Each structure stands twice: as C-alpha cells, then as structure tokens.
Amino acid sequence: QVQLVESGGGLVQPGGSLRLSCAASGFIFSWYDMSWYRQAPGKERELVATITISGRINYADSVKGRFTISRDNAKNTVYLQMNSLKPEDTAVYYCNALIGGRSEWGQGTQVTVSS
C-alpha cells in the first residue's frame, strides 16, 4: 500500500535551517507530483510547495526564497530544504501525493521555530 514517511523535523532557532525528507513506497514515485503541506495549531492545512514529475516547482508566497523542494526519483524521496526559518513556520509538515484520485498523506513531522 502507499506509504509516505516524513522525517527531519525538530526544534530550531529563528534564522536556522532544517531539511525534511519524505520516503515514498507502494507506488511508482516518478509518475506523480509531490507536495509538502503544513498545519499550524488552530489553522487550516496549507500548501507549501509542489514539484511535478517534470520538475516544475511552485511555492507558497510565504516561503518563496527561503524553502526549496526537490526530489530524487532513484531514492523515491522528496525533500524540503528550509532556510531562514521564522516562528510563523512552526507547524506539522506533511508529505502528499494524489494517486488514483485519492490524496495520500504521511504522518507528519513537527517543526518548531523558537528561541
């Protein structure tokens, strides 16, 4: 079955960096667009970044210039490099793929930006 497993979250000071990873299995990874979402306490889940199968990338305005999404099809993994982190980036970050009309999610990884 489809599995998405995020890792790399943690506690970081403002201005710091983290790299999130999402290991995928159970489907042909290179055939699907991949996305990162986040959900802060008391807020709705929001799209952070998407990378298509052709490598086209889109970012939320709030992370442009600070976050970089990438994928390694040989490793079935999508990454989110997060630089210049701000307290408002604090959230649970989720990996997502739309497969056969079904939105698949990982369990999420917590990112906390605080001094």
Side-chain angles (χ1 to χ4, degrees), residues 11-103:
L11 173 63
V12 63
Q13 293 187 341
S17 298
L18 283 174
R19 188 174 85 149
L20 307 183
S21 299
C22 171
S25 61
F27 64 102
I28 302 175
F29 180 77
S30 61
W31 287 10
Y32 295 92
D33 301 345
M34 298 297 298
S35 297
W36 284 96
Y37 284 74
R38 67 184 180 186
Q39 187 166 20
K43 295 189 176 181
E44 292 188 356
R45 195 170 294 190
E46 64 173 353
L47 178 63
V48 175
T50 298
I51 183 165
T52 69
I53 59 174
S54 63
R56 183 178 300 175
I57 291 173
N58 287 298
Y59 295 104
D61 287 343
S62 57
V63 307
K64 280 181 182 176
R66 300 188 298 122
F67 290 11
T68 302
I69 188 171
S70 61
R71 65 189 299 161
D72 186 335
N73 289 339
K75 295 183 178 180
N76 289 354
T77 300
V78 60
Y79 303 97
L80 187 67
Q81 177 67 44
M82 305 186 296
N83 299 328
S84 303
L85 283 161
K86 305 175 181 180
E88 52 263 43
D89 295 318
T90 295
V92 178
Y93 284 71
Y94 297 91
C95 183
N96 172 269
L98 187 62
I99 300 171
R102 179 188 172 99
S103 193

